[in-house]
Amino acid sequence: MSTERLLSKHYEKEDVIGVKEKIQREFLHLKLLMKKNVKVSVRSWVSSVIELSSPIFFILILLIISKSPAITNNTTPVIQSINIPQCIANAEDRCFNLIVSPSNSPTVLDLMKVIAESNDPPLQIYQYSPETTGILPDLNMTMGLKGGIIMVPSTAAAFDFVKAHPNVTMGGIEFKTIPRNFTTYTHKQDPLVTTDNIVFNYNLLTNTSCPNFMIKCVDNSMSITMALQNAINIYQSKRLVLSNTPSINVTTGTFPVYQPTSNAVTTYGCLFFYCGPMISFIFLMYKITYEKEKKLKTGMIMMGLSGKMYWVSWFFTCFIINVIITNITIATGAASKFEFFLSTNFFVNFFLFFLFTLSMYQLGFLISSFIQTTKAAIGIGMTIFIVGSILQLIFSLLGPLIFQILYETDSKYARAARIILSAIPMYHFSKAVTDINSIAQTYQFTGVGFKWSDLTINLATPGVDIPQTAASLYSLFILSIVFSILAWYFEQVIPGNDGSSAPPYFFILPSYWGVTKKKIKHLPNIPQFQDPDVNNAVNYAHSDSNHSSVVIQGLSKTYKNLFNSKKDVHAVKFLSLSVEKGTLLGFLGANGAGKSTTIGILTGLIEPTYGDAIIHGHSVVNNISEVRKITNVCPQHDILWPELTAYEHFALFAELKGVPAKQREAAIQNAIKSVKLTSVAHNQISTYSGGMKRRVSVAIACIGSPKIIFLDEPTTGMDSQSRRHIWNLIKEIKKNCVVILTTHLMEEADILADRIVIMANGVMACNGNSLQLKNKFGEGYSISIVVKRPECIPEVKDMIFRALPASKLLSESADLLNFGFPINTPQDILVNFFKSIEEITLNQQTSPIRDWSVSHTTLEDVFLSVAKLKHL
Ligand SMILES: Nc1ncnc2c1ncn2[C@@H]1O[C@H](COP(=O)(O)OP(=O)(O)OP(=O)(O)O)[C@@H](O)[C@H]1O
């Protein structure tokens, strides 16, 4: 029967799992993984405390810096020059604002009406009295969004207004005297009118101060003067009874102005606020790569945990840590009385820190998909942190200037720099911090901090297209999404520790999304193998009458070399075999023989180039999730978290493997007893020896009545007593399932295996039980000889071949020689041989042999002779 037909026959057996069950399973996995993450975080509390308290640490440093005399001297804004603050709100039509005093002069009011009417667009005139509106009137409420002329009673009131609304008033006029002959009779009561003066006296105040580097400073004195002179002319021509034109005396006066102040937060805020999230970023990279390096992730997936939920659980864990760190940052900043935090809308700060941390986390996920070791993770994390710190310091000190240069210049370099910087979360973070700082630094005088609505205002000079603060937050959000997508993509495409990877175009394959089944490719013909038993096993695996629990058909795996196809590695070549329930298959082979690749394929970690394996009716290529439900694994590397106890491991895997809640405790206790760990079951794994950890791994592999168990060197590192105990346990559990055991201990395979397959260069070299293999590949007896020195080897070989002409050299390593000779060697030859070897070794001085022994052929001998043969 063709392989396709046989496979399709098997597929008929597949269970159709309902969507509801699938969702429930995914949620169960998420719950288990979240539990694990929380427990690990709680148990490794020192690192968790360091991670969560890092924002406190860095903000406290900033607080100490801010208290240093050098910085505090600089924190109070000084009235540096007496000018009218520059209006920065042109976009809201406020830049036509003039602040004019005194408001009790009817002539001044008339003049202002002329200016207001002749202005294009016309201005409105507002009366502002500190007594009625309070010291800090809301500009929007008082005068609407349009600009206008603000009449104030006195210069002092003008000062108050300017203090309340820095940078919205373009200039001011303080009238001092008005010539008597300039007024109409109705204005004789004007307090500014002087009888003996024909000079128009006023003080012109223009705002030439720049709130920050982002603002282009414009001197409006000329336009104000011209507007006023024009108004005087119009007024005079229309209404004056006198023909004399008054002379005008303009002076410049002083006005309070907010010079942007530098303080610890404006100077170093970008740097110190950035450090807390970055420490968490390094921790995250470490945690993810730790699970990768220790193959915990792979192990969990082999045991059936959902790969998707693995990432979702990390996402939620990061989300929780992010929310905690963000709130700690804001609370510490507020407790430190930094206006950056006190005056800014909570949600603005929340989103700023949350989105920055989120984007860094996603970048961490992305970078982690390229690296395999914690060393690399820490190295790269620290490098990013240091380079980022330098950037933050530069932005802290020169941020506004940099933004101005970047956005005012339209050179190709500026454009390129903008594009590059836009992909860097630190850049958006420092831009937003600088924006918030530019408002927060005047908070103590204005009482107005960074509001939610300020996210969308243009803090820069009109015409300079510097992005609004909201753009920085959007960018952080978009970067988070882009990094997540790239992390997901590269996680699939970059080969992991197990060497598995998806093709670069995997996302366009319908089979990736579960819409269709993967197309299984088969080699057209079943090849002929040298060994008849292997041929039989292969033919049976492809036969119609095969109903074994595990049926492997034509499994092949080629690791392609992208640059040179001659260097392609054919790790597994047409492996076909079947394993019945209740059988322990010893799967042996030298290093590089193809065992791990085969196990990787059977556990769904590696996609075969050709062929498939059907495990209890489920294809490993197309239905691996069902295979994993019934499969348990004891990988070479323990899937154990040092922070969890053995009990917690058993509980986790019992629930994962679907042990009903009522039977779970019994299953856990059973597992603990089976590997004799009762007294230490509640101790953390970090306190266990290597052998004890192996015992936990073996017990995990037995939990939940699996139908197939993969044991990869299960007894490595165990003492002989524990090893024998585990062997008994394995003998017990194999009764109800299939066990596939890979080991380098031939004694272990000999004792446990019902059937042994030895792989050599990717090919099944032999297949049979231990006795069959010994008879077939062994030489009856084997002599092991330890020579004194390597130079003695030729002499010893010569001696053995002379004494036992039918003997064969089985292996030769350092000073150990292994010969085999047939069981039917004539007795007299044997007697002579023993005599001569005894004589040689009697003389310790001259003998080239240090030690020798004779035994029946061992599996080791079989293994060594099989490794030498060519098999295809
Ligand atoms: N990701 C990979 N890319 C390229 N070649 C690989 C990859 N993984 C394994 N190989 C090659 O495939 C062959 C089989 O390797 P495999 O790991 O399956 O051997 P093994 O029998 O498990 O060896 P060991 O006993 O050392 O674990 C080896 O030649 C190995 O170098």
Side-chain angles (χ1 to χ4, degrees):
M1 186 182 244
S2 77
T3 48
E4 280 83 358
R5 278 181 59 204
L6 181 62
L7 287 171
S8 64
K9 185 168 167 284
H10 278 294
Y11 288 140
E12 284 162 20
K13 291 195 210 163
E14 284 180 12
D15 302 336
V16 180
I17 332 161
V19 176
K20 196 176 155 200
E21 196 202 332
K22 268 189 186 165
I23 294 173
Q24 278 174 347
R25 225 159 73 190
E26 297 284 308
F27 270 106
L28 169 71
H29 293 188
L30 181 60
K31 184 186 98 177
L32 293 174
L33 287 162
M34 288 298 292
K35 238 190 203 176
K36 178 266 299 176
N37 282 354
V38 170
K39 274 190 184 155
V40 169
S41 299
V42 172
R43 297 279 163 74
S44 50
W45 63 270
V46 175
S47 55
S48 300
V49 166
I50 293 175
E51 182 179 357
L52 296 181
S53 62
S54 56
I56 302 178
F57 174 75
F58 287 106
I59 290 177
L60 287 184
I61 295 183
L62 189 59
L63 183 64
I64 293 166
I65 293 173
S66 73
K67 299 285 176 208
S68 85
I71 301 283
T72 38
N73 285 347
N74 215 2
T75 52
T76 320
V78 278
I79 295 173
Q80 285 195 333
S81 60
I82 308 297
N83 290 317
I84 293 178
Q86 180 181 354
C87 175
I88 61 164
N90 290 25
E92 295 176 17
D93 291 342
R94 289 183 191 168
C95 280
F96 295 98
N97 291 347
L98 278 178
I99 192 150
V100 180
S101 68
S103 52
N104 61 352
S105 162
T107 319
V108 169
L109 189 60
D110 279 350
L111 277 174
M112 290 306 114
K113 279 178 186 164
V114 174
I115 289 184
E117 280 163 14
S118 55
N119 204 67
D120 182 22
L123 299 174
Q124 287 195 44
I125 296 175
Y126 305 94
Q127 290 287 342
Y128 165 55
S129 155
E131 290 76 40
T132 53
T133 53
I135 195 131
L136 301 174
D138 181 339
L139 196 63
N140 293 339
M141 299 299 288
T142 313
M143 49 182 294
L145 286 176
K146 296 288 173 200
I149 296 167
I150 304 151
M151 301 292 299
V152 290
S154 62
T155 313
F159 277 32
D160 284 345
F161 184 88
V162 173
K163 278 182 190 168
H165 304 291
N167 303 319
V168 298
T169 313
M170 190 173 75
I173 309 169
E174 180 197 12
F175 286 91
K176 298 203 165 152
T177 61
I178 290 173
R180 185 175 54 82
N181 58 2
F182 185 76
T183 60
T184 58
Y185 65 95
T186 49
H187 289 168
K188 280 192 182 131
Q189 299 310 309
D190 195 318
L192 297 184
V193 172
T194 50
T195 47
D196 55 347
N197 196 342
I198 59 156
V199 180
F200 218 102
N201 244 325
Y202 68 87
N203 192 17
L204 177 65
L205 306 118
T206 55
N207 182 0
T208 55
S209 67
C210 293
N212 58 48
F213 287 110
M214 278 192 275
I215 307 305
K216 208 172 194 172
C217 301
V218 183
D219 182 350
N220 294 299
S221 54
M222 185 57 84
S223 49
I224 296 173
T225 310
M226 287 181 69
L228 184 61
Q229 284 189 354
N230 187 40
I232 289 169
N233 287 340
I234 293 171
Y235 188 81
Q236 186 185 26
S237 64
K238 280 187 181 170
R239 307 198 190 177
L240 279 189
V241 289
L242 297 174
S243 56
N244 291 357
T245 305
S247 60
I248 296 170
N249 179 15
V250 185
T251 58
T252 52
T254 57
F255 229 72
V257 132
Y258 288 98
Q259 193 64 19
T261 55
S262 70
N263 55 39
V265 175
T266 55
T267 313
Y268 303 111
C270 283
L271 174 64
F272 284 92
F273 299 157
Y274 146 96
C275 289
M278 287 306 287
I279 296 292
S280 184
F281 158 76
I282 297 172
F283 268 99
L284 175 76
M285 281 196 39
Y286 174 81
K287 287 185 248 184
I288 296 172
T289 38
Y290 176 83
E291 295 203 334
K292 217 176 189 184
E293 183 181 61
K294 299 284 172 205
K295 302 199 175 169
L296 294 171
K297 181 186 144 217
T298 313
M300 282 188 282
I301 290 172
M302 281 160 104
M303 284 290 279
L305 267 165
S306 153
K308 275 187 225 107
M309 285 303 127
Y310 176 80
W311 291 115
V312 173
S313 77
W314 269 116
F315 180 81
F316 278 125
T317 308
C318 289
F319 184 90
I320 295 167
I321 297 174
N322 193 351
V323 169
I324 296 174
I325 285 190
T326 298
N327 281 305
I328 287 178
T329 306
I330 297 173
T332 315
S336 305
K337 300 229 160 45
F338 287 140
E339 267 146 18
F340 183 95
F341 294 97
L342 288 176
S343 68
T344 306
N345 177 294
F346 171 81
F347 291 103
V348 170
N349 267 337
F350 181 86
F351 282 112
L352 169 61
F353 284 95
F354 181 84
L355 290 173
F356 173 62
T357 312
L358 181 70
S359 63
M360 287 313 299
Y361 281 165
Q362 301 310 319
L363 182 63
F365 283 122
L366 172 58
I367 296 169
S368 307
S369 51
F370 292 90
I371 52 180
Q372 310 291 345
T373 62
T374 44
K375 254 190 194 168
I378 293 178
I380 294 174
M382 285 303 291
T383 309
I384 293 175
F385 176 55
I386 292 166
V387 172
S389 300
I390 296 168
L391 274 180
Q392 292 302 311
L393 199 58
I394 295 171
F395 282 128
S396 273
L397 300 172
L398 301 171
L401 184 60
I402 294 171
F403 297 133
Q404 187 179 347
I405 293 168
L406 277 177
Y407 289 97
E408 276 200 347
T409 326
D410 204 30
S411 71
K412 61 178 181 208
Y413 298 110
R415 273 200 300 274
R418 285 203 295 263
I419 292 170
I420 293 168
L421 288 170
S422 66
I424 302 176
M426 290 92 159
Y427 169 72
H428 299 292
F429 178 73
S430 48
K431 164 73 173 60
V433 171
T434 309
D435 287 351
I436 294 174
N437 259 331
S438 73
I439 290 189
Q441 65 192 347
T442 57
Y443 172 69
Q444 58 173 303
F445 309 102
T446 63
V448 179
F450 197 99
K451 303 185 292 296
W452 181 259
S453 56
D454 290 339
L455 284 172
T456 48
I457 65 160
N458 191 346
L459 290 168
T461 318
V464 181
D465 196 16
I466 293 181
Q468 298 157 350
T469 317
S472 302
L473 300 192
Y474 291 145
S475 303
L476 286 173
F477 181 64
I478 289 165
L479 280 181
S480 304
I481 293 175
V482 171
F483 290 153
S484 315
I485 293 172
L486 290 177
W488 163 75
Y489 177 79
F490 286 112
E491 185 62 29
Q492 318 283 324
V493 169
I494 304 283
N497 284 338
D498 48 43
S500 57
S501 63
Y505 49 85
F506 71 91
F507 53 90
I508 55 166
L509 300 175
S511 57
Y512 177 80
W513 304 102
V515 178
T516 58
K517 285 191 186 298
K518 283 180 194 158
K519 191 161 168 26
I520 298 160
K521 289 180 277 177
H522 292 285
L523 286 168
N525 301 312
I526 301 175
Q528 281 297 308
F529 294 82
Q530 280 184 1
D531 188 305
D533 290 335
V534 170
N535 267 331
N536 289 343
V538 170
N539 289 331
Y540 180 59
H542 289 266
S543 87
D544 194 12
S545 56
N546 190 337
H547 295 292
S548 308
S549 299
V550 177
V551 182
I552 300 173
Q553 297 185 316
L555 217 56
S556 308
K557 177 70 190 178
T558 301
Y559 291 107
K560 295 241 178 245
N561 186 306
L562 286 181
F563 307 104
N564 184 354
S565 61
K566 283 184 190 153
K567 290 191 178 166
D568 286 355
V569 179
H570 302 286
V572 180
K573 299 173 202 161
F574 207 92
L575 176 67
S576 294
L577 67 105
S578 41
V579 195
E580 306 285 346
K581 183 178 168 185
T583 304
L584 189 147
L585 177 78
F587 196 60
L588 312 180
N591 295 133
K595 303 178 303 287
S596 304
T597 306
T598 307
I599 304 294
I601 294 171
L602 296 181
T603 49
L605 292 179
I606 300 173
E607 195 162 322
T609 314
Y610 295 106
D612 195 2
I614 312 299
I615 296 179
H616 276 268
H618 304 295
S619 154
V620 294
V621 175
N622 270 319
N623 208 357
I624 192 63
S625 59
E626 285 304 300
V627 172
R628 285 176 176 155
K629 267 175 136 181
I630 51 169
T631 304
N632 277 10
V633 184
C634 167
Q636 219 170 42
H637 301 269
D638 302 307
I639 335 169
L640 305 173
W641 289 267
E643 299 82 3
L644 302 188
T645 66
Y647 181 96
E648 285 163 343
H649 279 94
F650 296 140
L652 188 152
F653 286 105
E655 197 169 353
L656 172 69
K657 284 292 160 188
V659 177
K662 282 185 186 158
Q663 297 161 23
R664 217 171 287 151
E665 185 57 31
I668 296 168
Q669 292 306 335
N670 201 20
I672 293 170
K673 267 189 226 139
S674 71
V675 285
K676 295 192 170 167
L677 289 171
T678 312
S679 59
V680 290
H682 292 282
N683 294 359
Q684 289 185 22
I685 293 291
S686 55
T687 61
Y688 284 27
S689 70
M692 287 158 86
K693 286 181 195 163
R694 262 347 251 153
R695 274 145 69 189
V696 176
S697 294
V698 172
I700 288 173
C702 302
I703 223 159
S705 320
K707 293 203 166 79
I708 172 160
I709 302 178
F710 292 97
L711 299 175
D712 196 350
E713 302 189 23
T715 58
T716 311
M718 282 186 202
D719 58 54
S720 321
Q721 203 187 353
S722 306
R723 180 171 292 155
R724 269 161 216 287
H725 176 75
I726 293 298
W727 286 349
N728 289 337
L729 175 68
I730 295 173
K731 275 184 193 161
E732 198 53 40
I733 54 166
K734 78 172 184 186
K735 286 178 191 161
N736 298 316
C737 59
V738 166
V739 178
I740 297 184
L741 167 82
T742 56
T743 179
H744 288 293
L745 295 174
M746 292 304 129
E747 187 196 1
E748 184 165 273
D750 210 355
I751 291 173
L752 295 176
D754 302 296
R755 195 138 62 81
I756 291 169
V757 163
I758 301 182
M759 297 289 287
N761 299 322
V763 178
M764 178 163 60
C766 60
N767 183 331
N769 65 36
S770 175
L771 198 62
Q772 285 168 336
L773 297 184
K774 281 177 189 168
N775 285 338
K776 188 188 283 184
F777 296 97
E779 292 295 328
Y781 295 104
S782 96
I783 315 164
S784 299
I785 297 179
V786 183
V787 294
K788 275 192 179 155
R789 290 177 305 280
E791 304 87 79
C792 308
I793 290 176
E795 186 189 340
V796 174
K797 277 185 188 171
D798 197 42
M799 192 273 282
I800 298 291
F801 290 137
R802 259 189 289 114
L804 294 168
S807 65
K808 280 185 190 164
L809 179 68
L810 296 179
S811 69
E812 174 182 335
S813 61
D815 50 2
L816 177 69
L817 297 173
N818 239 317
F819 297 88
F821 61 94
I823 211 150
N824 55 2
T825 305
Q827 220 174 354
D828 55 326
I829 294 184
L830 279 179
V831 173
N832 283 339
F833 166 71
F834 286 123
K835 258 192 195 167
S836 53
I837 202 162
E838 275 297 329
E839 278 166 17
I840 293 171
T841 47
L842 263 180
N843 188 345
Q844 288 289 322
Q845 296 285 307
T846 56
S847 168
I849 296 171
R850 178 177 301 157
D851 196 9
W852 67 278
S853 63
V854 178
S855 63
H856 275 284
T857 300
T858 60
L859 197 57
E860 183 113 14
D861 299 328
V862 174
F863 184 84
L864 293 170
S865 20
V866 166
K868 286 183 191 164
L869 304 174
K870 287 204 178 309
H871 305 282
L872 252 178

